[in-house]
Amino acid sequence: DTGVSQDPRHKITKRGQNVTFRCDPISEHNRLYWYRQTLGQGPEFLTYFQNEAQLEKSRLLSDRFSAERPKGSFSTLEIQRTEQGDSAMYLCASSLGTVGEAFFGQGTRLTVV
Amino acid sequence: GDSVTQMEGPVTLSEEAFLTINCTYTATGYPSLFWYVQYPGEGLQLLLKATKADDKGSNKGFEATYRKETTSFHLEKGSVQVSDSAVYFCARTTDSWGKLQFGAGTQVVVTP
């Protein structure tokens, strides 16, 4: 399977714990995006990378959130001190630079209890 | 601020019926426009796109035309199948790096 893969698919955590998600983009794709989707809503942009450079962070991304893309390959999204409001589907997408033609992973569903 | 608005669902149709999902946007400039589809249990997939005014995107029997004058990008299919049951998202670019702004999604249910 050469699509975008995300791990884990599901994560249940207690409030206050830290969690980390991983995204493996399509191998030749230089752009990588993170989005968050809550029930009944469309995905909302969180951050994106051009190779290893993080180009923009949404205001949705509080100081508790951090994302990395070492060496321009896989990416991680870490949430520290999770809150119930962080419960959502976290989506990763990658593209080769053709604007908007992003390929999405199946997402990581986070539940904070 | 700029936005993407699409009709609320669920939209329930019988097989072979005509489907329209309305999408309008507000934006400065001329964004590229997209329809993404999410089938049950799967990730978002690009369905079709249009990059400039009057462009028509098409795929799998679906079509949408970029209408600058009405700032719309309505999705249509002439004869739906049960396999078209999914959630459809309208989206626009917000910059030259491919960042997308999505509508809330419209669930389509096609019954035999």
Side-chain angles (χ1 to χ4, degrees):
Chain A
D1 185 7
T2 57
V4 177
S5 66
Q6 294 187 242
D7 183 70
R9 294 288 308 281
H10 303 274
K11 178 71 176 178
I12 300 175
T13 191
K14 292 184 178 180
R15 192 174 51 186
Q17 298 295 304
N18 299 344
V19 294
T20 300
F21 310 141
R22 178 181 171 119
C23 171
D24 286 274
I26 295 171
S27 60
E28 64 269 25
H29 284 186
N30 55 358
R31 292 182 185 172
L32 187 147
Y33 312 83
W34 285 99
Y35 290 84
R36 181 170 68 187
Q37 186 178 18
T38 53
L39 198 61
Q41 299 298 315
E44 295 176 293
F45 168 77
L46 292 179
T47 188
Y48 66 107
F49 295 82
Q50 170 81 9
N51 299 314
E52 67 274 12
Q54 188 173 19
L55 298 183
E56 185 178 338
K57 292 173 61 173
S58 163
R59 288 172 296 174
L60 293 174
L61 224 59
S62 74
D63 291 343
R64 297 184 297 105
F65 289 71
S66 62
E68 294 182 340
R69 192 183 182 197
K71 302 179 182 178
S73 55
F74 70 92
S75 177
T76 58
L77 178 68
E78 181 183 16
I79 309 174
Q80 296 182 328
R81 304 181 303 280
T82 52
E83 303 173 356
Q84 287 189 318
D86 297 331
S87 295
M89 178 76 84
Y90 290 84
L91 300 172
C92 176
S94 68
S95 76
L96 195 50
T98 305
V99 173
E101 291 199 25
F103 292 78
F104 281 81
Q106 291 186 283
T108 294
R109 181 169 295 285
L110 173 67
T111 303
V112 182
V113 297
Chain B
D2 294 340
S3 63
V4 177
T5 303
Q6 56 184 111
M7 61 190 286
E8 290 188 19
V11 174
T12 303
L13 302 164
S14 297
E15 208 164 21
E16 299 183 3
F18 184 86
L19 170 68
T20 299
I21 305 176
N22 290 339
C23 172
T24 58
Y25 67 92
T26 61
T28 52
Y30 303 102
S32 295
L33 302 174
F34 306 85
W35 279 99
Y36 277 81
V37 59
Q38 188 168 33
Y39 298 104
E42 298 185 16
L44 280 165
Q45 301 174 23
L46 177 65
L47 181 60
L48 53 84
K49 71 172 186 177
T51 58
K52 61 183 186 298
D54 301 324
D55 266 4
K56 177 185 284 188
S58 61
N59 186 26
K60 300 182 180 180
F62 290 89
E63 292 183 340
T65 301
Y66 190 142
R67 301 288 189 198
K68 185 178 67 173
E69 62 276 12
T70 54
T71 62
S72 65
F73 193 55
H74 305 321
L75 182 68
E76 297 181 336
K77 186 173 184 181
S79 176
V80 293
Q81 305 300 311
V82 172
S83 57
D84 294 323
S85 298
V87 182
Y88 293 81
F89 293 91
C90 185
R92 71 173 187 98
T93 50
T94 64
D95 64 12
S96 61
W97 293 97
K99 187 173 69 175
L100 294 170
Q101 182 181 40
F102 287 86
T106 302
Q107 183 179 12
V108 172
V109 178
V110 181
T111 58

